[in-house]
Amino acid sequence: QLAGTSITGILLGVALGVGYGLVILVVSKTTGIFGLAIKYYNDVFDLLKYIVRGYLCTALVEEYIFRVSIYEGAKKLFGGKEWMAAIISALLFGIAHILDGTWVKVVLNVTHGLILGFVKAYVKKANFATFVVAHGTYNFFITNIDRLFRYM
């Protein structure tokens, strides 16, 4: 899956993660509707552990499950319709996050899944690394939202 990885794909992932993270940050700040997780780090090693876990474990595994396995399975099931695969994988991605606590988080994750699913379907430069980086960057944004508020 990583064979076609390019700098363009990785930069696209950073842009997607930061872009969606900023949207959530601004909406959260202006409406106060998102009760997002807050992470605190004791030291740089604690931060590095989070980055490794957030990118290499959570994002890597979830993207393989939802943007590769489920997406491709749904695409085959629906006769190659990429838009249908994007919707199915996004809905399952959101539902899988129901244990995060609120329906707002489910909706956020469905939206995140739709964005990544449609990018997979229609952006040729996107690759598996794009989705892992976008997912990890987004996770970093939403779990550090209180720190980001200080600069807004």
Side-chain angles (χ1 to χ4, degrees):
Q1 287 296 327
L2 290 173
T5 300
S6 68
I7 296 297
T8 305
I10 292 170
L11 292 175
L12 177 60
V14 170
L16 287 167
V18 169
Y20 190 57
L22 285 173
V23 168
I24 297 306
L25 177 67
V26 169
V27 171
S28 182
K29 178 136 176 108
T30 57
T31 66
I33 64 170
F34 303 134
L36 300 172
I38 299 171
K39 300 278 188 233
Y40 295 99
Y41 309 107
N42 298 321
D43 53 36
V44 72
F45 295 110
D46 199 24
L47 174 62
L48 290 174
K49 266 192 326 193
Y50 171 77
I51 290 171
V52 168
R53 189 176 64 241
Y55 276 97
L56 299 182
C57 298
T58 305
L60 187 72
V61 170
E62 286 184 1
E63 289 309 313
Y64 187 81
I65 291 168
F66 293 99
R67 242 61 64 203
V68 176
S69 298
I70 292 173
Y71 182 98
E72 294 301 328
K75 187 171 136 183
K76 285 179 189 169
L77 184 66
F78 291 100
K81 293 181 177 143
E82 302 238 19
W83 64 270
M84 185 60 87
I87 291 169
I88 297 297
S89 65
L91 288 172
L92 292 174
F93 182 70
I95 290 167
H97 286 83
I98 200 163
L99 296 177
D100 285 349
T102 67
W103 283 100
V104 171
K105 291 179 185 176
V106 172
V107 171
L108 288 175
N109 282 300
V110 168
T111 305
H112 186 215
L114 283 171
I115 292 167
L116 296 182
F118 282 107
V119 166
K120 179 176 175 71
Y122 301 109
V123 178
K124 298 299 178 213
K125 294 278 186 189
N127 53 49
F128 185 65
T130 303
F131 307 114
V132 172
V133 170
H135 189 144
T137 304
Y138 168 75
N139 283 352
F140 188 80
F141 256 86
I142 64 169
T143 55
N144 287 284
I145 204 162
D146 68 320
R147 291 180 185 180
L148 298 170
F149 277 162
R150 292 183 203 162
Y151 302 104
M152 288 186 73

